[in-house]
């Protein structure tokens, strides 16, 4: 749960706290950017700068500070759009962190980091035409070094790195009683990050200081985000992709055997016989050919199936387009909130596709009768957003009760509702209208009025459907670990190229798994394939949810309190429902195409 910086007893700016303007994505992520009291002058080193002396810690402030230290909270600072980065050494490895911890607990004592050592990496810029270095998504100012003529070729400096080293130093509050903000501290301050000495005590103030060092760097402006975006373990990502390709090859072999050997051989033998022999063979037929008059019988709850397929197409389309744009570099982490904003925008626009697919499937099930398309469109527009709204509203009440900045403001709730009902719903209705006008997909065989009895099965068919989700899960579980770490551990995820490939492989595996299972069900004369094809690939969501619980227990050990755990499970449930709809839709569409192709090749009387 994110909290406001000034909820703890830190120094406030002289001009008061001001909020920075945030976009929709930042607000939804809980980012609240406020101005800080730290002052920087370009290429001017400063040391032993006194910042402020806090009021004596009251009982509430003291207990809150101890609680935040126990929960290992990090303070995040931003300079010229670059987050503060902290390096720590562990054995032979150098670890990167964004921000710095509030404090540390040693035994029964709590120590606060009250002195910050800032290192600002700057790159000299000789060109007078500043516009050449200003990026569209990550603008900067090249600050001239005192030249009066703006067109002169005087060098300017650009910020290309921002590092912080937190220290806990025992200051005497009596020494700074008469000092003002930005005055020099009376004595020399030596920052040693390996030792801590500023323990916090009730009814005692905390003195805050800082120092700034500017260092000239060879890092150029376009490369300044490389330190943040550097993802370790490229071999692991390649292993994930190769693992997925093995699963795809195995399933593709099964599909190949089904289509070319079994189906083709049966059909060729069937077509070579004369009419008398065909009649005799019809009596001896077994397997999928026996359900020819029932295979396109309308499923139970057809409207719900159409709604879920429509929403699944919308979610899958949003995921593909968003990850593709991110992989092409249009959604850089330098532009905070653009990923979430982009996802929301693409989801709203793709409402037209959701309505079209949902109504088209409805019209096909109804054999060309498009009556009820408005009801289908409305439900498509409200089904998944309604579930999301219910989950997020419940979680928002928890965040409001905890005074977290992650709580969505009421005004933003109104904006989201307006986006839903003024953009998403009308576009879905337009898509539904186009789907109602489009021709339905004609079934290749006639359906009998009396349904055929399904013979008793040796094993429950739903057991096979639930087990099928393990194969798609195997293709994405490695990438899932990196995604979970970026969401819950505050790390930057930027291997969208790998993610896009994994997403394509997941779609292929879901299609193949559903196709194989549908064929297996038809072979045992089970013609109720509609819902089973949806859940055979959609059951991957169950395994992702179980993995989320595993991640909560074994990786998020620092997670404190039932509220945080409830938030985690709530967000995981929201993500899992979206994945179930998207993967289930892939399975249903691939199975429908397969069944249509299979029975369009059969000569039926």
């Amino acid at each position: 749960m994110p909290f406001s910086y000034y909820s703890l007893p830190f120094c406030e700016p002289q001009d008061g706290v001001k909020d920075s303007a945030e976009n929709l994505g930042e607000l939804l992520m809980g980012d609240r950017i406020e101005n800080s009291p730290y002052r920087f002058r370009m290429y001017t080193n400063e040391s032993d700068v006194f910042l402020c002396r806090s009021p004596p810690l009251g009982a509430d402030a003291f207990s809150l500070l101890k609680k935040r230290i126990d929960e290992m909270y990090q303070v995040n600072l931003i300079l010229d759009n670059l987050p503060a980065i902290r390096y720590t050494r562990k054995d032979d490895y150098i670890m990167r962190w964004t921000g710095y911890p509030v404090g540390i607990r040693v035994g029964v004592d709590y120590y606060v980091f009250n002195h910050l050592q800032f290192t600002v990496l700057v790159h000299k810029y000789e060109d007078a035409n500043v516009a050449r270095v200003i990026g569209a998504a990550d603008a900067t100012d090249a600050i001239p070094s005192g030249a009066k003529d703006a067109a002169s070729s005087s060098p300017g400096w650009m910020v290309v790195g921002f590092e912080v080293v937190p220290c806990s130093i025992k200051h005497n509050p009596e020494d700074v009683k008469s000092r003002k903000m930005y005055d020099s501290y009376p004595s020399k301050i030596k920052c040693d990050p390996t030792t801590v000495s500023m323990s916090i005590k009730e009814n005692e103030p905390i003195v805050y200081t800082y120092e700034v060092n500017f260092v000239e760097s060879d890092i150029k402006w376009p490369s300044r985000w490389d330190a943040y975006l550097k993802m370790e373990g490229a071999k692991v990502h390649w292993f994930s992709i190769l693992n997925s390709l093995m699963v795809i090859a195995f399933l593709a072999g099964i599909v190949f055997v089904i289509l070319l050997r079994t189906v083709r051989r049966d059909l060729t033998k069937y077509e070579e016989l004369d009419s008398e022999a065909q009649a005799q063979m019809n009596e001896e037929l077994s397997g999928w050919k026996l359900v020819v008059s029932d295979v396109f019988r309308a499923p139970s709850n057809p409207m719900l199936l159409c709604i879920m397929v429509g929403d699944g197409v919308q979610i899958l389309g949003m995921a593909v387009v968003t990850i593709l744009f991110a992989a092409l570099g249009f959604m850089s982490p330098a532009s905070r909130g653009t990923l979430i904003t982009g996802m929301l925008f693409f989801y709203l626009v793709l409402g037209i596709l959701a309505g079209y697919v949902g109504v088209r499937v409805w019209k096909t099930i109804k054999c060309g009768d498009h009556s009820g398309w408005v009801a289908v469109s409305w439900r498509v527009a409200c089904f998944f957003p309604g579930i999301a709204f219910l989950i997020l509203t419940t979680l928002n009440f928890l965040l409001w009760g905890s005074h977290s900045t992650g709580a969505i403001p009421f005004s933003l709730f109104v904006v989201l509702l307006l986006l839903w009902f003024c953009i998403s719903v009308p576009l879905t209705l337009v898509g539904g209208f186009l789907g109602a006008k489009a021709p339905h997909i004609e079934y290749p065989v006639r359906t009998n009025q009396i349904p055929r009895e399904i013979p008793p099965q040796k094993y429950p068919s739903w057991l096979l459907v639930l087990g099928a989700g393990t194969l798609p899960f195997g293709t994405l579980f490695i990438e899932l670990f990196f995604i979970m770490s970026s969401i819950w551990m505050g790390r930057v995820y930027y291997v969208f190229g790998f993610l896009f490939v994994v997403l394509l492989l997941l779609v292929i595996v879901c299609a193949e798994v559903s196709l194989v299972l549908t064929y297996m069900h038809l072979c045992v004369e089970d013609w109720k394939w509609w819902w089973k094809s949806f859940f055979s690939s959609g059951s991957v969501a169950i395994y992702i949810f179980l993995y989320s619980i595993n991640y909560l227990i074994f990786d998020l050990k620092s997670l404190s309190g039932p509220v945080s755990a409830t938030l985690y499970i709530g967000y995981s449930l929201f993500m899992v429902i979206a994945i179930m709809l998207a993967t289930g839709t892939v399975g249903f569409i691939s199975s429908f195409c397969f069944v249509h192709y299979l029975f369009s090749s059969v000569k039926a009387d």
Side-chain angles (χ1 to χ4, degrees):
M1 286 191 292
F3 290 97
S4 168
Y5 175 77
Y6 295 108
S7 63
L8 291 177
F10 291 130
C11 305
E12 293 192 7
Q14 289 177 326
D15 303 335
V17 179
K18 294 177 184 134
D19 283 332
S20 170
E22 281 115 9
N23 60 37
L24 193 62
E26 286 177 293
L27 291 169
L28 289 171
M29 288 293 288
D31 294 340
R32 301 291 183 275
I33 301 171
E34 298 161 320
N35 59 331
S36 84
Y38 297 103
R39 187 178 67 181
F40 292 72
R41 291 193 186 95
M42 179 57 86
Y43 215 67
T44 306
N45 293 344
E46 294 181 275
S47 59
D48 314 324
V49 182
F50 167 70
L51 199 60
C52 80
R53 171 183 138 158
S54 75
L57 293 178
D60 291 342
F62 178 66
S63 62
L64 182 64
L65 194 54
K66 285 201 302 181
K67 187 184 177 194
R68 294 288 178 262
I69 291 170
D70 274 335
E71 293 169 344
M72 299 197 287
Y73 264 87
Q74 303 275 323
V75 177
N76 294 297
L77 299 169
I78 299 167
L79 175 70
D80 192 29
N81 208 29
L82 280 180
I85 199 167
R86 178 170 61 97
Y87 293 98
T88 56
R89 183 177 287 277
K90 188 173 182 181
D91 301 327
D92 295 332
Y93 295 97
I94 292 176
M95 303 175 78
R96 285 192 319 277
W97 310 84
T98 50
Y100 68 92
V102 172
I104 191 170
R105 181 181 178 179
V106 181
V108 294
D109 293 323
Y110 290 84
Y111 296 88
V112 69
F113 290 118
N114 62 330
H115 178 83
L116 298 181
Q117 184 184 72
F118 294 111
T119 303
V120 183
L121 305 181
V122 290
H123 185 75
K124 186 184 282 188
Y125 183 66
E126 304 279 352
D127 200 326
N129 184 6
V130 177
R132 288 187 201 168
V133 294
I134 296 181
D138 194 4
T140 184
D141 293 322
I143 303 175
S145 60
K148 292 179 183 176
D149 184 8
S152 71
S153 59
S154 307
W157 301 98
M158 294 180 294
V159 176
V160 291
F162 182 37
E163 298 170 13
V164 63
V165 176
C167 295
S168 179
I169 296 172
K170 181 71 178 171
H171 292 316
N172 187 353
E174 298 301 316
D175 293 349
V176 292
K177 265 193 169 180
S178 59
R179 301 269 167 176
K180 294 180 180 176
M181 192 177 278
Y182 308 124
D183 286 351
S184 279
Y185 190 74
S187 57
K188 188 75 180 163
I189 300 170
K190 190 173 186 326
C191 179
D192 181 7
T194 58
T195 60
V196 288
S197 56
M198 184 62 211
S199 61
I200 56 170
K201 293 183 175 65
E202 198 170 342
N203 296 320
E204 285 192 15
I206 302 170
V207 175
Y208 292 95
T209 53
Y210 73 98
E211 60 185 282
V212 183
N213 295 307
F214 283 84
V215 177
E216 194 170 343
S217 169
D218 293 332
I219 298 169
K220 290 189 168 57
W221 173 262
S223 307
R224 71 180 199 148
W225 273 89
D226 288 1
Y228 303 88
L229 306 182
K230 191 178 177 185
M231 289 283 290
E232 304 297 339
K235 287 181 181 176
V236 178
H237 293 285
W238 282 115
F239 173 76
S240 169
I241 288 170
L242 288 171
N243 176 47
S244 305
L245 287 171
M246 292 291 285
V247 174
I248 284 173
F250 169 70
L251 288 169
I254 297 174
V255 173
F256 184 78
V257 168
I258 289 171
L259 290 177
L260 288 184
R261 291 194 57 190
T262 313
V263 178
R264 282 288 180 198
R265 189 187 61 207
D266 286 0
L267 289 174
T268 306
K269 190 164 70 174
Y270 189 79
E271 285 167 3
E272 284 173 355
L273 300 171
D274 57 27
S275 57
E276 190 178 326
Q278 279 182 12
Q280 186 183 349
M281 189 178 175
N282 281 338
E283 295 173 12
E284 299 168 2
L285 282 178
S286 62
W288 59 270
K289 293 177 274 315
L290 287 172
V291 295
V292 67
S293 300
D294 295 276
V295 73
F296 289 107
R297 190 176 300 283
S300 56
N301 300 312
M303 185 174 282
L304 181 61
L305 180 65
C306 297
I307 292 162
M308 291 172 79
V309 169
D311 278 332
V313 166
Q314 190 174 6
I315 294 162
L316 185 66
M318 175 203 71
V320 170
V321 176
T322 305
I323 294 169
L324 181 61
F325 271 79
L328 294 172
F330 290 107
M331 294 177 181
S332 165
S335 309
R336 277 179 303 278
T338 51
L339 193 67
I340 300 291
T341 308
M343 286 172 72
L344 198 60
F345 171 76
F346 293 132
Y347 181 82
L348 292 171
V349 170
L350 286 167
I352 195 163
L353 185 63
Y356 177 82
V357 172
V359 171
R360 188 103 190 265
V361 173
W362 170 256
K363 191 176 175 182
T364 299
I365 290 172
K366 291 287 180 182
C367 300
D369 180 14
H370 67 265
S371 60
W373 71 267
V374 176
V376 174
S377 302
W378 261 105
R379 286 172 171 82
V380 168
C382 297
F383 180 71
F384 177 70
I387 293 171
F389 194 76
L390 189 67
I391 293 172
L392 296 178
T393 305
T394 307
L395 298 180
N396 215 48
F397 279 119
L398 291 174
L399 288 165
W400 266 333
S402 306
H403 307 290
S404 168
T405 57
I408 300 170
F410 181 73
S411 58
L412 186 59
F413 251 105
V414 175
V415 169
L416 290 173
L417 282 170
L418 288 172
L419 288 172
W420 180 9
F421 286 107
C422 297
I423 297 177
S424 183
V425 171
L427 283 176
T428 309
L429 287 167
V430 169
F433 175 76
L434 295 174
K437 292 291 179 188
H440 71 286
I441 301 164
E442 291 191 21
Y443 295 146
V445 290
R446 290 197 305 274
T447 303
N448 286 346
Q449 288 189 334
I450 301 168
R452 179 188 177 84
E453 188 179 346
I454 299 169
Q457 308 297 321
K458 292 179 183 176
Y459 50 84
S461 60
W462 283 102
L463 200 64
L464 200 61
V465 168
L466 292 175
T470 53
L471 288 169
F473 179 73
T475 67
L476 61 80
F477 82 96
I478 294 174
E479 210 62 38
L480 196 62
F481 171 77
F482 289 99
I483 294 167
M484 299 286 265
S485 298
S486 71
I487 294 172
W488 303 114
M489 298 286 202
R491 294 170 189 164
V492 179
Y493 184 90
Y494 201 61
V495 284
F496 289 108
F498 280 114
L499 185 60
F500 187 70
V501 173
V502 168
L503 180 66
L504 292 180
L505 296 178
L506 175 67
V507 168
I508 295 167
V509 171
C510 285
E512 290 179 342
V513 162
S514 181
L515 194 150
V516 170
L517 245 75
T518 299
Y519 181 74
M520 287 171 69
H521 282 120
L522 294 177
C523 281
V524 292
E525 300 172 37
D526 183 355
W527 46 266
K528 293 183 177 179
W529 61 271
W530 300 78
W531 280 107
K532 285 166 190 168
S533 68
F534 187 93
F535 286 115
S536 57
S537 54
S539 61
V540 67
I542 296 168
Y543 299 96
I544 292 173
F545 189 69
L546 293 173
Y547 180 83
S548 303
I549 302 297
N550 171 75
Y551 191 85
L552 171 67
I553 295 166
F554 295 105
D555 291 280
L556 294 179
K557 292 172 186 173
S558 62
L559 200 72
S560 60
V563 175
S564 292
T566 306
L567 285 166
Y568 173 86
I569 290 169
Y571 286 127
S572 298
L573 189 64
F574 169 63
M575 178 179 75
V576 159
I577 291 169
I579 291 169
M580 185 266 288
L581 291 170
T583 52
T585 297
V586 171
F588 170 77
I589 291 173
S590 64
S591 286
F592 184 87
C593 294
F594 168 70
V595 172
H596 193 278
Y597 162 77
L598 186 61
F599 286 93
S600 62
S601 309
V602 175
K603 287 187 202 166
D605 293 331

